[in-house]
Amino acid sequence: MSWWGKIVGGGFGFLMGGPLGAVMGAAFGHQFDKGMKQDFDGLGYQAQERTQLAFFSAVFSVMGHVAKADGRVTPDEIEVARTMMQQMSLDEQQQKVAIELFNQGKQNDFDLDGVLHQFKQECRRHATLLQMFAEVLLHAAYADGLMHPKEKELLKHITLTLGFSSIKFKQLDDMVRAQRSFHQGSSGQGYQQAPTRDMLKDAYAMLNVSESSTDAEVKKSYRRLMNQHHPDKLVSKGMPEEMVKMATEKTQEIKAAYELIKKSRK
């Protein structure tokens, strides 16, 4: 049974303590707040399932908080959350919880740092899992076409809190912007067409290399990114199974960028 199935079928109360527990309790509803002991592992849950629950809860609540950073939540930002739910093939009940988590993050008393610190602990410091979390938030921030300075400041704070450096934040930001541009540039013409100059520039940025990089350096970066975003590996570390499609699309675009670079160098 999946992590969600165990939640719905378990009939137990407050899943875990701390800020994440508070967010979960509010989002899942009173039926999950029966005053039971905050002993998740004692209920027979595996660490992976606990991390999947933490990831699901943190990503939608923090996404709501980031969307509110510039003072208002735009329709595009709401649409990104709904698109993610569709990509994850969430059922009606899961969507309801995800929306409530998003709304929890928009509240003025949302404990962002508390949630982030606990989420980092629940992820057992798996850097690839934390990076995927940061990338999802960056994509959400660019939902309306640009990132507001307050959103950027907040996202930088989030990545620093998760243990990434300022340099790493810039790298992730550049990669996400390049991926979005690359995806838009390839829409309608397919990846097999001769790349435009802008698409090739985005492809290099996606792989975190430059035109002056050697073939060996490009290949090394490509392999590292494919390994970091491998769906099965991410799920084994605690990414919800429902996000496999998103991770798969990410690897497909990384591969497409690499193929374009190889083609341009022949």
Side-chain angles (χ1 to χ4, degrees), residues 79-90 95 245:
E79 185 59 29
V80 164
R82 293 192 180 279
T83 297
M84 183 180 296
M85 295 177 206
Q86 293 174 354
Q87 289 178 317
M88 294 173 69
S89 299
L90 301 187
Q95 288 186 39
K245 183 179 178 181

Side-chain angles (χ1 to χ4, degrees), residues 243-261:
M243 296 188 73
V244 166
K245 183 179 178 181
M246 295 176 61
T248 300
E249 290 176 352
K250 181 80 170 181
T251 57
Q252 289 173 342
E253 294 202 330
I254 291 172
K255 183 177 181 180
Y258 179 60
E259 294 298 328
L260 278 181
I261 292 173

Side-chain angles (χ1 to χ4, degrees), residues 113 116-121 123-131 133-134 154-169 172:
D113 285 355
L116 292 174
H117 283 299
Q118 187 176 359
F119 174 62
K120 183 179 179 181
Q121 181 179 7
C123 287
R124 298 180 298 285
R125 301 178 184 274
H126 285 312
T128 53
L129 197 59
L130 295 172
Q131 179 173 319
F133 177 81
L154 180 57
L155 282 165
K156 186 175 182 179
H157 170 77
I158 289 170
T159 53
L160 289 174
T161 303
L162 293 178
F164 297 110
S165 66
S166 298
I167 294 176
K168 182 65 174 179
F169 169 73
L172 291 175

Side-chain angles (χ1 to χ4, degrees), residues 33-199:
D33 190 11
K34 309 285 188 185
M36 291 180 67
K37 296 291 185 180
Q38 296 173 0
D39 183 12
F40 194 97
D41 292 324
L43 292 171
Y45 279 71
Q46 298 177 357
Q48 179 188 9
E49 291 161 344
R50 175 171 176 142
T51 304
Q52 289 173 325
L53 172 61
F55 195 106
F56 181 90
S57 300
V59 75
F60 282 107
S61 60
V62 176
M63 188 186 299
H65 193 73
V66 172
K68 188 71 178 297
D70 58 359
R72 60 185 293 267
V73 179
T74 68
D76 286 330
E77 289 166 330
I78 295 174
E79 185 59 29
V80 164
R82 293 192 180 279
T83 297
M84 183 180 296
M85 295 177 206
Q86 293 174 354
Q87 289 178 317
M88 294 173 69
S89 299
L90 301 187
D91 61 29
E92 184 177 350
Q93 187 179 28
Q94 289 173 315
Q95 288 186 39
K96 183 178 180 180
V97 171
I99 291 171
E100 183 55 37
L101 285 165
F102 188 87
N103 290 333
Q104 284 290 314
K106 289 159 44 180
Q107 301 304 311
N108 293 330
D109 60 351
F110 179 70
D111 185 3
L112 175 64
D113 285 355
V115 166
L116 292 174
H117 283 299
Q118 187 176 359
F119 174 62
K120 183 179 179 181
Q121 181 179 7
E122 296 292 339
C123 287
R124 298 180 298 285
R125 301 178 184 274
H126 285 312
T128 53
L129 197 59
L130 295 172
Q131 179 173 319
M132 186 68 179
F133 177 81
E135 289 180 28
V136 169
L137 295 178
L138 280 163
H139 276 289
Y142 282 113
D144 51 4
L146 53 86
M147 185 188 293
H148 191 279
K150 289 186 177 180
E151 289 179 325
K152 188 168 187 176
E153 182 181 350
L154 180 57
L155 282 165
K156 186 175 182 179
H157 170 77
I158 289 170
T159 53
L160 289 174
T161 303
L162 293 178
F164 297 110
S165 66
S166 298
I167 294 176
K168 182 65 174 179
F169 169 73
K170 184 179 184 306
Q171 181 186 107
L172 291 175
D173 185 30
D174 290 343
M175 289 174 61
V176 167
R177 284 191 291 108
Q179 183 186 2
R180 293 178 64 83
S181 179
F182 181 80
H183 179 77
Q184 292 170 0
S186 64
S187 296
Q189 62 173 317
Y191 295 123
Q192 302 304 317
Q193 299 295 321
T196 65
R197 182 64 185 170
D198 286 341
M199 283 181 65

